[in-house]
Amino acid sequence: MAAERSQLYYTCVFLHVSFQAIQNTVATSAKLDETPCWLDAQMLRMLLSELQRCRWEAAPFKEACQLLDTATYHCGLLMAQCPAALDRQLCQHHLEAIMAPLKQATVQLSGSAKRTSASHSASPARRLRSWLGW
């Protein structure tokens, strides 16, 4: 199960970075805000397919699975309007709505959310001993 979790983690990181690169490209293009953003629909289709595969493989991880459902939904909405059927601001909104749950899924799959909540529930003395390595 640890190998599956690790693979899903890296897939989520890849997807987040990919959508972030798309968002940066849209944000830095020289077009006006009212002009359509001309995203590469083929690339978005590939990323949506990878996102759907990742969501299917995340079924054993309930929290991550729900987050990936949200990202998949928003990616589907973006695909339904691309290319050139929405302005750059709405495109940016959709990309942010995809990236936010992807980032949260990455945190869930990394296990750091559990470590953080466990460290907050531990007594101060226990946290200090842990920090000192005792």
Side-chain angles (χ1 to χ4, degrees):
M1 188 72 91
E4 293 172 354
R5 185 182 202 102
S6 178
Q7 181 63 40
L8 285 169
Y9 168 80
Y10 287 112
T11 302
C12 286
V13 168
F14 163 76
L15 287 166
H16 183 266
V17 169
S18 297
F19 282 108
Q20 192 173 41
I22 293 169
Q23 185 183 40
N24 289 340
T25 301
V26 170
T28 59
S29 68
K31 306 264 186 209
L32 299 174
D33 281 342
E34 319 65 70
T35 60
C37 71
W38 291 89
L39 291 178
D40 181 359
Q42 185 67 24
M43 181 177 55
L44 281 177
R45 200 169 303 121
M46 184 270 307
L47 289 172
L48 176 59
S49 175
E50 186 65 17
L51 186 55
Q52 290 168 331
R53 184 189 64 75
C54 184
R55 187 265 170 244
W56 181 77
E57 291 176 357
F61 309 101
K62 186 178 178 181
E63 298 86 9
C65 189
Q66 291 171 345
L67 293 163
L68 292 170
D69 275 340
T70 302
T72 302
Y73 170 77
H74 285 287
C75 190
L77 286 177
L78 180 61
M79 282 295 300
Q81 300 174 36
C82 264
L86 66 163
D87 64 29
R88 289 170 9 113
Q89 287 181 319
L90 189 53
C91 182
Q92 290 277 20
H93 171 76
H94 282 302
L95 289 168
E96 191 61 43
I98 295 166
M99 290 186 316
L102 273 173
K103 186 171 183 136
Q104 291 174 335
T106 302
V107 170
Q108 285 290 327
L109 291 168
S110 74
S112 63
K114 289 182 182 176
R115 285 192 300 271
T116 302
S117 65
S119 69
H120 287 298
S121 65
S123 70
R126 182 177 289 164
R127 287 195 311 259
L128 179 60
R129 281 192 300 273
S130 170
W131 183 75
L132 292 173
W134 295 349

